[in-house]
Amino acid sequence: MVLIFGGAAAVAQSKQPCLDDAMIVFDASKSMAASVGDEKGLRRIDVVRSALANVLPRVAPRRRMGLITYGPGSRDACSNVFLQLKPTSNAATKIMSRVDALKPEGRTPLTRAVRGAAEVLNFRNKAATIIVLTDGEETCGADPCALARELKRDGAGTVVHVISYEIASAVGSDGEFVSRCFADETGGTYVDTKTIDEVRNALETALSCPLISDARDAIGPR
């Protein structure tokens, strides 16, 4: 749906930056070290890193972003969730320096990481956007769909976008990726990606401001 605003109001709206902070939840579990197709030496984490490095510099000047990672660490595997950066202005370099330092290892406490991101964003009192980048399903016994319903019920406008990469090898025999319910329950987008271009496009969509973009498209070029 395209939202159309009247005259000057549409122009003013199109100049506004995103108002809600965003947290990126980045999967650095062991499966992210898997090789990608026939690309010698290229791992899943390398693909997702490259897409992130391409998109962040364009978004960071107009939106505060932060980062939570899970996977590697010295604690119990299901406790290895780390707040790397709270939402910060012009955070592209800071986020990438932390992502580039990750060495894939451990399990997938995805639900715990999303809860952590929501708490950092003060989701009960403010609009919040969470972007999950993962190649695997929750492996630590938590219920992602229960948390998704909680975020929808208790949040002041929480949206979770889920971008999966090469997820086919991680889903059960029924072919269902359960953790996509984060997006389904909160009104976010879910994108199943298999290439770097698909990851990049999904990130651009998730980190953009649809209302502002639609308003600009509706009034045409200036």
Side-chain angles (χ1 to χ4, degrees):
M1 179 177 69
V2 176
L3 301 180
I4 301 177
F5 301 89
V11 175
Q13 180 74 9
S14 71
K15 292 181 179 179
Q16 292 180 4
C18 298
L19 298 180
D20 54 316
D21 291 347
M23 286 293 295
I24 295 169
V25 176
F26 191 94
D27 182 349
S29 62
K30 187 175 182 179
S31 59
M32 287 289 275
S35 297
V36 177
D38 297 327
E39 297 290 339
K40 186 175 181 181
L42 191 63
R43 303 167 300 169
R44 293 178 182 178
I45 195 171
D46 300 322
V47 170
V48 179
R49 275 176 179 155
S50 295
L52 199 59
N54 182 272
V55 172
L56 287 185
R58 297 197 296 272
V59 178
R62 55 191 177 87
R63 186 172 207 169
R64 284 163 37 103
M65 293 182 291
L67 174 70
I68 280 183
T69 62
Y70 62 83
S74 58
R75 303 181 304 200
D76 171 76
C78 288
S79 299
N80 286 330
V81 175
F82 300 98
L83 173 60
Q84 302 281 359
L85 185 70
K86 292 183 178 180
T88 304
S89 299
N90 292 304
T93 300
K94 292 179 180 179
I95 289 174
M96 288 312 305
S97 68
R98 289 157 174 79
V99 168
D100 287 341
L102 294 170
K103 297 180 179 179
E105 188 55 69
R107 300 179 67 181
T108 306
L110 189 156
T111 305
R112 183 171 184 157
V114 172
R115 179 178 291 279
E119 295 292 349
V120 169
L121 290 169
N122 190 18
F123 79 101
R124 296 177 186 85
N125 300 306
K126 299 193 304 181
T129 298
I130 299 170
I131 299 94
V132 179
L133 289 162
T134 184
D135 77 328
E137 190 67 273
E138 165 72 45
T139 63
C140 287
D143 186 341
C145 297
L147 176 58
R149 291 189 292 270
E150 179 184 336
L151 296 177
K152 180 179 180 180
R153 182 188 68 237
D154 298 342
T158 304
V159 177
V160 183
H161 302 290
V162 179
I163 302 170
S164 66
Y165 177 66
E166 295 285 356
I167 198 68
S169 62
V171 299
S173 57
D174 58 1
E176 181 182 2
F177 176 44
V178 175
S179 294
R180 67 167 291 169
C181 64
F182 277 120
D184 295 340
E185 290 285 347
T186 65
T189 58
Y190 169 68
V191 186
D192 175 8
T193 66
K194 298 178 178 63
T195 68
I196 187 171
D197 287 340
E198 291 175 350
V199 177
R200 182 169 57 244
N201 291 339
L203 276 167
E204 288 177 342
T205 299
L207 285 167
S208 68
C209 299
L211 183 67
I212 296 172
S213 297
D214 290 345
R216 184 181 296 115
D217 291 343
I219 63 176
R222 291 178 282 114

